[in-house]
Amino acid sequence: MPTPRLLITVPALAIVLSAGLLASAGGPASGDEATTSSETAAVTSVQRAVAQRLTAVLTPQGEKPADGVPVGLDVGIIGVLGSAADGYDVVVTRETDPAALVARLTAGLPAGARNSLRITTSERSADELRTAWRQVSAQAWAGDASQRSSYSMDLDPELGAVVVDVEGTAPAAGRLDVQRAPVEGVEPGAVVVRYTGESALASRTADTSPHWGGAKITAGSTSCTSGFTVKSKTSSTRYSVTAGHCGPNGTSWYSGAYYFGQTAGRSGYPNYDQARLAGSSYTNSIYTDGLDNFNVRTVTGANDGDVGDSVCVSGVVTKSVCGIEIKSLSATYCDDPDVSSTCTTYLMRGRRDDDRVIVRKGDSGGPVYQRNTSLARASIRGMVIAYDMSGVRLYAERYASISNHLGVVAITS
């Protein structure tokens, strides 16, 4: 993945808005890892059903909502902590009826399903948080031109607020972002600003045909990572995928001296940071050398997974890292401080409990997958496009969004 939006060679503002939980397209492929960050607890069918209900009610229908406001607020959910195995702590807005929400999430399930849900009511209303989200999105966060930096923002269930994590160190007192009410028109405390480390969009080395996912692909001085192999929903044509910000339609890509393909199908960018690579042959293997227990895996399934599931990522720079917990499926990444319509919405957000670096520049397009711990197979969950906190947190396009927008399905066996 190139530099910020990893194609840009100078720092650019990046705002990441994330909140709640989003889309599930079903549970993991049979035998694949679907545990908490500890990767040890067994998940019962009832727990998995609750996880899928929870993510389903927070899934936008059809195309991504234009404003990027988390649809969880429509059902009164600010955010969710936990996992299917450990149970979920669901933080709701003050006007939400906890009993009605639990009944909705467990309807038709055994009585024990209710034990998987713990409800906490916030002092914030849904309207207050929607206003905060929209005002933060419209805020001119660029600061001094010489000090432009990236920002990540969350609708944080623990704080009950929109949290803005700013790259770098705190500025002198008096700046908007250190005041008690940092955004005009928003209640004090509804937006919290903090300071973190580096943030950027995230760009193996001579991959021959048929091409694999997780390979280094280059176009001139631009370097990204291939994602995974797909085929058209209406024909047998195969493609690979990568991040849309890596290059416009018509960009020719190579892996070492080998022609990899040409960018096609990139549309709706930047809201959809995804593209097909066409013109060569592709197969359903991905490079997974690194901290995974297999160096190569075969793709045997694909879906969004559930919040709290443990996934791996495989980028050409960082290689494979596992034990990443899906924290959210509704992040938004904004690339230009001066243009409000430069955002990629409804992304997966993930992080390890030990805050290990999991993504670096050059990893854009790399596959996010759930692994089988004893067999060399993987189930695709998405594709990396960005990171913040100096690579501790990743942001990825979800599989369902890629499938729907590009009109493709993953090749599996």
Side-chain angles (χ1 to χ4, degrees):
M1 188 187 275
T3 41
R5 222 174 286 230
L6 287 184
L7 284 178
I8 304 169
T9 57
V10 294
L13 176 69
I15 300 178
V16 180
L17 310 169
S18 83
L21 298 297
L22 188 64
S24 172
S30 176
D32 288 324
E33 190 178 58
T35 65
T36 65
S37 57
S38 67
E39 302 183 20
T40 57
V43 180
T44 69
S45 59
V46 173
Q47 289 171 318
R48 179 58 62 191
V50 171
Q52 293 174 349
R53 291 276 182 89
L54 185 58
T55 52
V57 299
L58 300 169
T59 303
Q61 301 300 307
E63 294 291 293
K64 297 177 180 181
D67 61 6
V69 175
V71 295
L73 290 175
D74 295 341
V75 294
I77 297 178
I78 295 174
V80 180
L81 304 168
S83 67
D86 296 335
Y88 292 105
D89 293 290
V90 183
V91 181
V92 301
T93 57
R94 65 172 180 248
E95 69 273 23
T96 301
D97 182 340
L101 179 61
V102 170
R104 176 177 181 174
L105 294 172
T106 60
L109 297 179
R114 294 171 181 263
N115 296 331
S116 295
L117 296 169
R118 299 174 291 274
I119 308 297
T120 300
T121 301
S122 167
E123 65 180 16
R124 302 286 174 196
S125 71
D127 284 344
E128 286 175 338
L129 292 171
R130 286 192 189 95
T131 297
W133 184 278
R134 290 169 176 147
Q135 291 296 99
V136 165
S137 299
Q139 174 75 40
W141 290 98
D144 298 333
S146 62
Q147 299 296 319
R148 270 188 191 179
S149 56
S150 301
Y151 299 76
S152 66
M153 301 185 339
D154 253 336
L155 188 55
D156 190 288
E158 294 180 288
L159 298 177
V162 176
V163 174
V164 185
D165 286 319
V166 184
E167 179 184 9
T169 57
R175 280 268 302 273
L176 278 175
D177 41 22
V178 294
Q179 293 175 6
R180 184 165 179 263
V183 179
E184 186 177 354
V186 174
E187 290 294 320
V191 175
V192 176
V193 180
R194 306 179 301 198
Y195 289 83
T196 63
E198 178 190 354
S199 169
L201 280 166
S203 79
R204 270 171 198 308
T205 47
D207 181 59
T208 58
S209 177
H211 296 296
W212 294 11
K216 182 178 182 178
I217 56 174
T218 60
S221 61
T222 297
S223 176
C224 280
T225 302
S226 62
F228 49 92
T229 297
V230 298
K231 69 176 180 179
S232 170
K233 289 182 177 180
T234 58
S235 72
S236 60
T237 304
R238 290 191 175 197
Y239 310 94
S240 183
V241 295
T242 195
H245 70 260
C246 291
N249 288 333
T251 301
S252 293
W253 295 93
Y254 291 82
S255 184
Y258 303 100
Y259 180 67
F260 200 98
Q262 190 174 78
T263 302
R266 179 182 183 266
S267 66
Y269 178 81
N271 196 32
Y272 292 88
D273 195 348
Q274 48 190 257
R276 302 190 300 266
L277 298 178
S280 189
S281 60
Y282 310 94
T283 192
N284 61 318
S285 295
I286 58 174
Y287 293 100
T288 57
D289 53 300
L291 299 181
D292 198 342
N293 56 325
F294 288 96
N295 287 337
V296 175
R297 288 183 179 270
T298 300
V299 174
T300 59
N303 58 68
D304 281 357
D306 293 314
V307 172
D309 283 353
S310 178
V311 297
C312 306
V313 61
S314 181
V316 71
V317 176
T318 311
K319 304 299 193 294
S320 290
V321 182
C322 296
I324 301 164
E325 187 173 338
I326 299 176
K327 300 290 189 179
S328 169
L329 288 162
S330 57
T332 297
Y333 192 97
C334 301
D335 196 44
D336 190 323
D338 301 316
V339 182
S340 61
S341 59
T342 57
C343 301
T344 308
T345 59
Y346 289 98
L347 301 170
M348 176 191 298
R349 174 172 55 84
R351 181 176 182 175
R352 280 174 57 107
D353 288 344
D354 62 2
D355 286 347
R356 184 187 188 101
V357 171
I358 55 179
V359 179
R360 294 179 173 88
K361 295 178 182 179
D363 291 335
S364 277
V368 177
Y369 62 98
Q370 204 160 46
R371 65 176 175 170
N372 183 294
T373 54
S374 59
L375 300 174
R377 67 187 194 187
S379 186
I380 296 298
R381 295 294 178 262
M383 178 178 69
V384 175
I385 72 153
Y387 68 84
D388 67 359
M389 296 184 69
S390 300
V392 167
R393 292 193 299 200
L394 71 81
Y395 298 86
E397 283 276 20
R398 300 172 296 111
Y399 171 74
S401 177
I402 296 167
S403 176
N404 293 335
H405 187 67
L406 296 182
V408 297
V409 292
I411 295 292
T412 61
S413 62

